Amino acid sequence: MEPDDDAAAAGAQRKGAGSYGQSLPRATESAPACALRVAPRVHSFGDGPAASPAPAQRHDPARCATFPQRHGEPAHAPATWVGGGLEPALSDYGGGAGVGGAALPEFVGAGGGEGIFRVPLRAAVHPGRPPPLEVRPHPLRETQVGAFLRTLACDPRRRQLWAGAECGVRVWGLDEVFDGWPGDAARRRGDEGSAPFRESVPAPPALCAAVDGANRLVWTGHRDGRIRAWRMDLATAAGVGGDAPLFKEALAWQAFSRLPVLAIVVTSYGEIWSGSEGGIMKAWPWDAIAKSLSLTLEGKDMASLLVEKAYIDLRNNATVGNMCSLPAADVKHMLADHCRAKIWSITSMTFALWDARTRELLKVFGIDGQVDLARLEAPVMPEQFIEEEIKVKPTKKEKPQGSFTFFQKSRNALMGAADAVRRVATKGTFVEDNRRIEAVAQAMDGTIWSGCTNGSIIVWDGNGNKLQDIHYHSSSVQCIRTLGERVWVGYASGTIQVMDVEGNLLAGWTGHSCPVINMAIGGSYIFTLAHHGGIRGWPLTSPSPLDDILRTELANRELSYTMIENIKILVGTWNVAQEKASFESLRSWLGSALSDVGLVVVGLQEVEMGAGVLAMAAAKESVGLEGSANGQWWIDNIGKTLDEGISFHRVGSRQLAGLLIAAWARNDLKPHVGDVDAAAVPCGFGRAIGNKGGVGLRIRVYDRRICFVSNHFAAHQENVSRRNADFDHVYRTMSFNKPHGSTASATSVQLHKAASANGNQADEDIPELAEADMVVFLGDFNYRLDGITYDEARDMVSQRSFDWLRERDQLRAEMKAGNVFQGMREGPIRFPPTYKFQRNQPGLSGYDSGEKKRIPAWCDRILYRDSRPVSIAECSLDCPVVAAVTAYEACMDVTDSDHKPVRCTFSVDIARVDELVRRQEFGKIIESNDEKVCSLLRKSHIVPDTIVSTNNIILENQEDVILRISNNCETSKAAFEILCEGQSITKHDGTKSELPPRASFGFPLWLEVQPSVGLIEPGETMEVAVHHEDFFTKEKCFDGVQQNWWCEATRDMGAVLLVNVTGSASTETITHRINVRHCCPVPSATPPVTNAPSDAVSGSKNNQSNHLQRSDFANFGSSEVHDLCDVPKRNM
């Protein structure tokens, strides 16, 4: 479970809102508070990297302690000591450490149960959404460099889920998602918890994908400009695991010479269309592709060349004279309107509507629906011409590719500027830029849904007329998918919404902690791909009673998939006063980390100061840069102290002027540490300069978020309120992002977390620090001692009377009053005040004795907050991070600065989910024989009863034949889709040839079926027109130009149509087969070969009629039921 998901749910509950909103039914609510305790498993930091998670520790009820529920305890608890009384024994110059690593007593500040200081809500099963199937749990970002998943595609008939990655493609078998990896299978790092999958050979990043179920192929478009075809059968035959053989592509060709394939689509006639940058669009006829696929492996190169040369340049069809009516913007999306046999090509601001059969441009219009045919532009330079120009000048000194890139970019920039001028002239504003098109899909009723960056969804009819504008969410729409009468929308905030085709909102929930970038429907699930690479499957029926059963059953089985990890964390803080420490000082401060500590976090203050340094730091921050030579010196030397590269690995750092924070993880813990984000908040000089402020790191450890913040607050005795304000400002405004220069940021897609079109956070009133499972504040807080003189303080320190001094500590007083560090904890202070000392003077005699005689004070502190809502709580998935201070010390022998370094050691229990076990438990619930579960699943898989008016159609001349599809169900709508299973050609000499199906069961070019997709109301009948169209079906294309073609009028045509009927909650299908035949008269002469342009021939639909052959309303025996779900065995 992702902690950020829970935080989002917590935010919704704090606001008193939530669109999904069911309460969490649990059988254990009346149990004691610690009843879910799992035996902790201490991590050993000397055994080498962990290859796979260890078996889950099982719960022993007999060994579980019982604590009261504390129902009456107030949320706003006063400041208290927990863990027992203070021990009077003190070390000479250090501090306190628990005997044998035992926990020390802690001081807890007041105000922790209110508002933004409330502990974030956590649960074993998320209460605000349907329980998902975790196909691929959220991987650590650092493990995905060069391998991020970017697109999804699913073939429900083959029960496969495909994902395009930055390194190729991978495929999951839906029948294997509940299984574990084979025992000897090597797993890619980051995929340890994933369901088993198969991988392709390495390939450039896949940016788009389309499924061709007819030929059992998946088509992918790649960044290198190539289109690749992958055979589903080969993917299934490939083994599972890192050592298994990788499957190869069946066909690949260079679609664009120097441009990426941004969009790909299979048309209603089985052609493949693709779009790229600069508005370039190409189409490949199916005949050329089919011929290439039929060649043997030895002819692979010839097959690629054959398809490459067969393309059709679609911009030529939109060019009149020397002007083109298409915008020169990138074609980001393409959509096949199977209902009307049209194609939609979409840029950021415009739509273009094409005839899929004739490839004719029908209409260009803007996001507001205005027809935009007046935007005539010079055509884009043909790629072939560009290549020839480059070949003419092959000298090394010249860089033709760069010249072309400069030309193209310059031209695109000019065209973009022209677009901006046009928009200003027509609208007077740039507001429409906030409505860029980000997603498009076709609903089963034939409407087209487009999503925009401002969260609005526009519904269009098939002719590009605007029907409806829907706006339920402020975040950017990232993807849309449809099935039956439902529409799913994924947003950049991670939210998923379900609507009906009328636009009514049915449900919504937080699906992921980051943008939902793609969706695919297969089996009984809609799968969502998050920006971080995680994949979840959500029941198509949600929201439904099945969600409640799954939630309750999974909550009751929590102990089976709960694992408790224990790690040691060393946190150190030091105000170095612009000095550099000796190796001995660093060893004294951090040397204890070399034993059993797994994570080391160090915060420094005053690494460098001065007006020039602050000005330079502010200038760097303004352009996204940070760091300095002094800061790098400290990082390098602390790394040497920790044996970086041998024992530890640095995971992140952040510097803001004189503030610096850095973290190191022990090598055997490193596989479980990642997603490191950094942040900086200046507090000096009007909250703009980094002489005061905070720098932070947010680190994911065992799937839990832990934040560390190094601070330097306002100085001087009297500035207590300013210090409180500095903390409040840092706590409320710290916003994390990837560290500058992080290798993990080298991904092809960068999306801002939870950002709306206006750049606002989805939950602005909840600080990011409040969402973390554990927060540690460290640094020079500058709180002093009140009501005491310099001499009195010196005397008390020499007498070790720290109890008396603590009563005058400003920080403790403010925490008791609930004014600062609300709800945070601090270990017992058993060491002398750490400020202010004279440099290079050891012992307590080194306190400042100069003219100012600053009163000694505990300026340097370390405080924390974990997941405990009360002082006594057991580590569980409801309370996933429980920490204890085992040592809190100052290094009094270090004399390099006027401050002493302080360190604090934590023992942290972290509860996490064994994803394999929970996925298996999920499968057991779905596949159980529970009567209620089976009943709900059977109900969700019901396909409405339908009949077709005929199973044989004979076409004569160009008359329309009306096929009627009737929905006999009185309660549910029936969704239908008409495909072509195959075709045949019979010549007048009697010879007959069977042709394989076209891509995605596309229609032959001589046959029109409209509408071929639709929704039928209960008890209603849909009329479908089946029409023969004269067309020059044999065409040859070379380098984008049609060379010659001829009509097939001398042949009898035959086709087998499939009428697939589905419901709204699964992909289970009932199929009706219909034979279509067109008889041609015997010609008197052989028609000549024609060289006329394609638009010179177009069939006309004259003399339309409702002629129907064998048109009895009967349920013919040719109907078949395809059970894709297999309810009792695999209810996917």
Side-chain angles (χ1 to χ4, degrees):
M1 180 175 1
E2 300 176 30
D4 290 310
D5 297 344
D6 295 312
Q13 294 185 28
R14 287 169 181 166
K15 295 177 184 178
S19 55
Y20 191 78
Q22 288 98 333
S23 60
L24 176 64
R26 297 193 52 170
T28 57
E29 286 186 352
S30 60
C34 74
L36 298 179
R37 173 67 175 175
V38 179
R41 180 159 53 90
V42 179
H43 212 66
S44 175
F45 298 104
D47 302 329
S52 61
Q57 299 294 317
R58 302 304 180 215
H59 171 63
D60 184 1
R63 299 174 60 186
C64 179
T66 302
F67 295 93
Q69 280 279 31
R70 295 183 177 234
H71 290 298
E73 183 168 307
H76 185 170
T80 57
W81 281 94
V82 297
L86 289 175
E87 297 182 19
L90 300 170
S91 61
D92 290 341
Y93 293 117
V99 178
L104 296 173
E106 300 173 347
F107 176 84
V108 184
E114 297 180 343
I116 61 173
F117 302 107
R118 185 182 306 168
V119 174
L121 302 178
R122 296 289 184 261
V125 183
H126 199 295
R129 69 181 180 208
L133 171 62
E134 294 278 359
V135 178
R136 188 187 191 226
H138 175 182
L140 293 175
R141 186 192 312 128
E142 290 77 4
T143 67
Q144 301 302 296
V145 177
F148 279 93
L149 304 186
R150 286 294 163 248
T151 186
L152 280 185
C154 195
D155 179 30
R157 294 170 180 82
R158 301 289 297 177
R159 298 186 59 77
Q160 291 180 343
L161 176 65
W162 289 71
E166 291 182 330
C167 58
V169 298
R170 60 177 61 178
V171 56
W172 283 266
L174 297 186
D175 292 326
E176 301 171 347
V177 291
F178 299 131
D179 301 332
W181 291 84
D184 56 348
R187 311 176 199 179
R188 181 194 293 269
R189 189 182 168 210
D191 288 310
E192 294 85 358
S194 170
F197 61 85
R198 296 161 178 83
E199 284 189 283
S200 72
V201 295
L207 307 180
C208 51
V211 174
D212 176 6
N215 298 281
R216 300 177 180 178
L217 295 172
V218 173
W219 302 93
T220 54
H222 296 258
R223 186 186 291 170
D224 64 348
R226 295 178 72 84
I227 293 177
R228 291 173 169 84
W230 311 87
R231 293 196 183 277
M232 299 179 184
D233 296 337
L234 292 179
T236 304
V240 174
D243 298 330
L246 307 177
F247 61 88
K248 300 179 181 180
E249 69 268 21
L251 177 66
W253 72 88
Q254 195 70 40
F256 304 101
S257 60
R258 287 174 179 81
L259 303 175
V261 181
L262 299 180
I264 188 171
V265 69
V266 181
T267 72
S268 300
Y269 292 95
E271 295 184 343
I272 294 180
W273 290 24
S274 64
S276 185
E277 295 175 355
I280 299 177
M281 294 177 59
K282 293 182 179 181
W284 284 268
W286 173 248
D287 292 336
I289 297 174
K291 184 175 181 181
S292 298
L293 289 171
S294 65
L295 296 179
T296 62
L297 292 177
E298 290 75 11
K300 189 174 182 179
D301 294 337
M302 181 61 68
S304 298
L305 184 62
L306 177 65
V307 181
E308 285 178 18
K309 295 299 183 180
Y311 77 89
I312 300 169
D313 188 347
L314 294 170
R315 290 186 69 91
N316 290 340
N317 293 0
T319 302
V320 179
N322 197 35
M323 305 302 290
C324 181
S325 56
L326 283 174
D330 298 348
V331 180
K332 291 189 173 182
H333 309 280
M334 300 187 78
L335 172 70
D337 178 0
H338 294 297
C339 182
R340 304 166 191 86
K342 295 179 181 178
I343 297 294
W344 293 56
S345 61
I346 300 104
T347 69
S348 294
M349 302 297 296
T350 60
F351 299 87
L353 194 56
W354 305 75
D355 188 309
R357 180 172 157 275
T358 64
R359 311 184 192 99
E360 176 187 358
L361 179 63
L362 304 176
K363 184 179 181 182
V364 178
F365 55 99
I367 198 169
D368 290 322
Q370 72 276 15
V371 176
D372 218 3
L373 287 175
R375 300 182 60 242
L376 301 179
E377 304 171 356
V380 175
M381 183 182 295
E383 291 186 300
Q384 179 187 3
F385 174 76
I386 294 170
E387 293 174 357
E388 292 174 354
E389 286 294 309
I390 292 174
K391 291 177 182 177
V392 173
K393 304 173 182 179
T395 59
K396 294 183 180 180
K397 293 183 179 180
E398 295 177 352
K399 296 181 178 180
Q401 183 175 353
S403 301
F404 166 65
T405 303
F406 173 78
F407 168 82
Q408 184 191 37
K409 290 183 177 179
S410 300
R411 182 186 179 283
N412 289 345
L414 291 173
M415 298 311 300
D419 284 348
V421 172
R422 179 186 62 83
R423 290 196 300 271
V424 171
T426 57
K427 294 286 186 180
T429 177
F430 286 93
V431 69
E432 66 185 76
D433 284 345
N434 287 332
R435 300 180 62 195
R436 294 188 304 275
I437 306 163
E438 294 292 339
V440 65
Q442 183 179 32
M444 293 298 290
D445 65 350
T447 55
I448 308 298
W449 292 51
S450 62
C452 306
T453 51
N454 67 347
S456 65
I457 299 171
I458 304 174
V459 183
W460 312 83
D461 68 10
N463 297 317
N465 300 311
K466 190 174 182 179
L467 300 177
Q468 192 177 5
D469 199 329
I470 304 169
H471 206 150
Y472 290 121
H473 197 59
S474 61
S475 184
S476 173
V477 176
Q478 295 295 302
C479 49
I480 305 174
R481 287 294 179 271
T482 66
L483 177 70
E485 53 184 313
R486 290 196 171 192
V487 179
W488 289 264
V489 182
Y491 292 91
S493 63
T495 298
I496 299 170
Q497 289 184 341
V498 187
M499 308 175 195
D500 60 23
V501 291
E502 284 81 24
N504 301 310
L505 182 63
L506 304 179
W509 59 84
T510 300
H512 296 275
S513 61
C514 63
V516 182
I517 61 174
N518 216 319
M519 294 178 173
I521 295 176
S524 297
Y525 297 91
I526 177 165
F527 297 97
T528 56
L529 171 63
H531 182 244
H532 53 52
I535 300 176
R536 285 174 169 164
W538 311 89
L540 292 173
T541 56
S542 298
S544 73
L546 181 61
D547 299 340
D548 298 329
I549 296 176
L550 287 171
R551 191 181 297 106
T552 302
E553 289 297 322
L554 285 173
N556 290 340
R557 305 180 188 201
E558 175 183 342
L559 294 180
S560 65
Y561 53 78
T562 300
M563 301 177 68
I564 305 295
E565 308 286 352
N566 179 268
I567 64 171
K568 302 294 189 299
I569 301 177
L570 174 65
V571 178
T573 179
W574 192 5
N575 185 323
V576 299
Q578 306 179 69
E579 299 293 334
K580 293 183 179 179
S582 65
F583 180 77
E584 291 74 18
S585 297
L586 292 175
R587 191 79 174 182
S588 173
W589 180 31
L590 303 173
S592 61
L594 300 178
S595 56
D596 62 345
V597 172
L599 187 65
V600 178
V601 180
V602 174
L604 304 176
Q605 302 83 44
E606 295 188 15
V607 170
E608 53 189 4
M609 297 295 289
V613 170
L614 296 177
M616 180 60 70
K620 287 183 177 180
E621 290 286 333
S622 65
V623 295
L625 299 176
E626 54 108 353
S628 67
N630 283 348
Q632 192 60 47
W633 183 93
W634 278 99
I635 291 174
D636 292 341
N637 281 271
I638 293 175
K640 292 177 182 178
T641 305
L642 299 174
D643 290 336
E644 182 177 344
I646 300 176
S647 300
F648 283 87
H649 179 88
R650 182 161 60 93
V651 296
S653 64
R654 183 68 164 94
Q655 184 175 356
L656 172 66
L659 291 167
L660 175 66
I661 189 170
W664 289 261
R666 191 175 288 275
N667 289 342
D668 49 0
L669 182 64
K670 181 62 176 65
H672 309 287
V673 175
D675 283 4
V676 180
D677 297 324
V681 178
C683 290
F685 299 104
R687 308 295 191 199
I689 304 298
N691 63 317
K692 296 294 188 290
V695 289
L697 291 177
R698 181 174 61 190
I699 306 175
R700 187 166 165 234
V701 183
Y702 287 117
D703 298 327
R704 300 298 171 184
R705 300 284 189 182
I706 303 179
C707 294
F708 302 90
V709 187
S710 175
N711 307 271
H712 196 188
F713 294 158
H716 304 305
Q717 182 87 18
E718 66 279 5
N719 286 333
V720 177
S721 59
R722 284 188 56 187
R723 288 188 276 275
N724 294 351
D726 284 348
F727 163 78
D728 192 73
H729 180 65
V730 170
Y731 187 85
R732 290 178 182 272
T733 63
M734 181 161 280
S735 180
F736 291 91
N737 49 40
K738 299 181 184 66
H740 298 305
S742 169
T743 58
S745 63
T747 170
S748 64
V749 179
Q750 295 296 335
L751 295 173
H752 298 290
K753 172 185 176 290
S756 68
N758 299 321
N760 299 322
Q761 290 291 330
D763 294 314
E764 293 183 28
D765 55 337
I766 302 179
E768 292 188 21
L769 288 174
E771 298 176 349
D773 296 284
M774 181 177 178
V775 180
V776 180
F777 269 80
L778 56 141
D780 180 4
F781 299 156
N782 258 322
Y783 287 92
R784 311 300 174 89
L785 300 180
D786 279 334
I788 190 173
T789 65
Y790 172 81
D791 293 330
E792 289 174 336
R794 288 289 305 270
D795 290 342
M796 292 299 169
V797 170
S798 62
Q799 298 172 26
R800 308 292 192 267
S801 299
F802 298 146
D803 291 345
W804 189 84
L805 289 175
R806 276 195 300 268
E807 295 176 359
R808 286 149 182 80
D809 178 36
Q810 291 178 345
L811 179 55
R812 287 288 173 90
E814 293 300 307
M815 291 178 67
K816 286 180 182 179
N819 296 330
V820 71
F821 294 107
Q822 289 87 342
M824 291 199 172
R825 301 164 181 262
E826 185 181 24
I829 300 177
R830 300 174 178 175
F831 50 85
T834 58
Y835 174 84
K836 176 183 183 182
F837 289 85
Q838 298 179 27
R839 293 183 180 90
N840 302 318
Q841 290 196 17
L844 299 181
S845 61
Y847 278 111
D848 183 20
S849 59
E851 180 181 351
K852 293 185 179 180
K853 286 190 175 181
R854 292 181 178 85
I855 300 172
W858 286 294
C859 292
D860 309 283
R861 312 284 276 271
I862 300 174
L863 293 82
Y864 81 99
R865 183 268 296 164
D866 57 12
S867 299
R868 287 175 287 178
V870 294
S871 298
I872 301 176
E874 292 291 304
C875 184
S876 68
L877 295 180
D878 294 336
C879 182
V881 178
V882 176
V885 176
T886 59
Y888 192 25
E889 305 161 313
C891 300
M892 306 302 293
D893 59 329
V894 176
T895 61
D896 303 271
S897 171
D898 58 353
H899 289 251
K900 299 297 183 183
V902 175
R903 64 174 177 249
C904 183
T905 305
F906 297 92
S907 176
V908 183
D909 284 344
I910 300 177
R912 68 186 183 100
V913 171
D914 186 322
E915 296 293 353
L916 171 60
V917 175
R918 185 164 70 172
R919 193 164 55 244
Q920 291 174 337
E921 294 297 331
F922 190 101
K924 290 177 183 177
I925 299 170
I926 292 294
E927 298 174 359
S928 68
N929 293 322
D930 182 82
E931 183 178 350
K932 185 175 292 186
V933 173
C934 292
S935 174
L936 291 172
L937 290 174
R938 282 194 299 268
K939 183 178 179 181
S940 67
H941 294 154
I942 291 176
V943 178
D945 180 32
T946 56
I947 61 173
V948 294
S949 56
T950 183
N951 63 351
N952 285 284
I953 294 177
I954 298 177
L955 299 177
E956 298 177 355
N957 300 322
Q958 290 183 333
E959 296 179 348
D960 279 353
V961 173
I962 301 302
L963 170 68
R964 295 180 176 87
I965 308 172
S966 299
N967 180 9
N968 289 345
C969 180
E970 298 297 332
T971 58
S972 301
K973 296 180 181 179
F976 74 91
E977 180 182 22
I978 302 178
L979 306 173
C980 182
E981 186 178 34
Q983 59 175 318
S984 62
I985 297 176
T986 304
K987 295 183 179 181
H988 59 270
D989 59 2
T991 60
K992 182 178 181 180
S993 60
E994 298 286 343
L995 301 179
R998 301 172 73 88
S1000 295
F1001 297 103
F1003 299 115
L1005 294 173
W1006 55 267
L1007 182 63
E1008 284 189 356
V1009 179
Q1010 291 190 13
S1012 59
V1013 172
L1015 274 178
I1016 310 175
E1017 296 288 336
E1020 299 293 328
T1021 298
M1022 176 72 72
E1023 292 189 348
V1024 177
V1026 181
H1027 176 80
H1028 173 267
E1029 185 70 34
D1030 286 340
F1031 193 79
F1032 294 105
T1033 56
K1034 287 291 184 180
E1035 55 189 347
K1036 292 188 178 297
C1037 302
F1038 189 80
D1039 287 342
V1041 180
Q1042 293 172 332
Q1043 301 297 320
N1044 53 66
W1045 47 89
W1046 56 88
C1047 185
E1048 294 281 357
T1050 61
R1051 309 180 182 189
D1052 289 346
M1053 308 293 185
V1056 178
L1057 299 184
L1058 304 178
V1059 181
N1060 291 334
V1061 181
T1062 63
S1064 294
S1066 76
T1067 54
E1068 187 173 342
T1069 303
I1070 292 179
T1071 299
H1072 305 277
R1073 275 184 171 80
I1074 300 173
N1075 296 310
V1076 178
R1077 186 162 62 96
H1078 176 260
C1079 300
C1080 293
V1082 178
S1084 57
T1086 303
V1089 174
T1090 309
N1091 288 313
S1094 61
D1095 56 1
V1097 179
S1098 178
S1100 61
K1101 296 184 179 180
N1102 299 324
N1103 192 23
Q1104 294 185 356
S1105 70
N1106 289 345
H1107 180 64
L1108 184 63
Q1109 302 294 330
R1110 302 172 191 172
S1111 55
D1112 241 346
F1113 279 89
N1115 197 357
F1116 291 96
S1118 59
S1119 301
E1120 296 180 0
V1121 178
H1122 298 271
D1123 185 359
L1124 301 180
C1125 303
D1126 198 9
V1127 176
K1129 182 180 179 182
R1130 288 285 185 187
N1131 295 295
M1132 282 288 296

